[in-house]
Amino acid sequence: MDIKIIEKSKISVIGKIGQGASDSNSSWIQELWDEANNSFNEISNLAKTDKNGKIVGFWGVMTDIDELFLPWNWQGKYLAGCEVIDGATAPNSWYKLVIPAFKYVAVKCQKDKYQDVFEYITQDYLPKHKYNMVGAMQEFYDMNDKQDEINLLFPIEYI
């Protein structure tokens, strides 16, 4: 498992937002992705792109219900969206969140290993290295990765 410490400045994401119970997140989060993917053309012109014009990536933004980017308790909010240019305004029926700048423990994994990796990082890696999560974990889908890969970012410090 390739675990890195990275820093990311604030990130603007526009997508479809929902709120629900933590223990049943798979039942309501997939609906948000379906809705966002089916209507992506409505925000595609706002997408942040690299120097070659390729979309930088998509985010599963997690935050507490007060949108302070704290970890979920018994419920939370999730935004299924695309990284957009700074200053972009969300069109009607879309929602914008700006993830604060953080230092992260970052790990790439296959989607079917998500839960195992999450548990390893939160229960073993972070305590062993004396890190504490200072915010909610974020999911990043890099357009340069394989389709079955996901990047999990665990915030350990505000920057």
Side-chain angles (χ1 to χ4, degrees), residues 8-20:
K8 285 198 162 284
S9 56
K10 70 179 182 172
I11 301 157
S12 299
V13 181
I14 292 179
K16 298 297 183 171
I17 196 162
Q19 179 176 324

Side-chain angles (χ1 to χ4, degrees), residues 24 52 70 72 85 113 153 158:
S24 64
N52 298 317
L70 297 174
W72 287 4
I85 54 177
K113 301 292 185 201
L153 286 80
Y158 283 94

Side-chain angles (χ1 to χ4, degrees), residues 8-78:
K8 285 198 162 284
S9 56
K10 70 179 182 172
I11 301 157
S12 299
V13 181
I14 292 179
K16 298 297 183 171
I17 196 162
Q19 179 176 324
S22 303
D23 61 358
S24 64
N25 62 47
S26 60
S27 66
W28 56 274
I29 288 177
Q30 186 57 51
E31 293 174 13
L32 297 172
W33 279 112
D34 292 344
E35 187 180 353
N37 289 333
N38 290 335
S39 305
F40 177 70
N41 63 325
E42 296 174 11
I43 64 162
S44 60
N45 62 316
L46 303 174
K48 189 176 224 177
T49 56
D50 64 18
K51 62 183 178 190
N52 298 317
K54 188 175 186 178
I55 292 173
V56 172
F58 294 86
W59 289 83
V61 180
M62 294 187 216
T63 185
D64 59 302
I65 59 173
D66 295 323
E67 296 181 13
L68 300 174
F69 293 94
L70 297 174
W72 287 4
N73 289 315
W74 61 276
Q75 67 174 344
K77 286 187 178 180
Y78 186 96

Side-chain angles (χ1 to χ4, degrees), residues 60-119:
V61 180
M62 294 187 216
T63 185
D64 59 302
I65 59 173
D66 295 323
E67 296 181 13
L68 300 174
F69 293 94
L70 297 174
W72 287 4
N73 289 315
W74 61 276
Q75 67 174 344
K77 286 187 178 180
Y78 186 96
L79 180 84
C82 180
E83 187 167 344
V84 297
I85 54 177
D86 292 331
T89 301
N92 288 340
S93 81
W94 291 85
Y95 199 83
K96 179 180 178 182
L97 286 174
V98 179
I99 305 169
F102 283 114
K103 181 185 285 187
Y104 293 97
V105 169
V107 60
K108 184 182 301 191
C109 67
Q110 293 180 312
K111 291 178 186 176
D112 64 348
K113 301 292 185 201
Y114 183 114
Q115 192 61 39
D116 293 337
V117 171
F118 178 86
E119 288 175 9

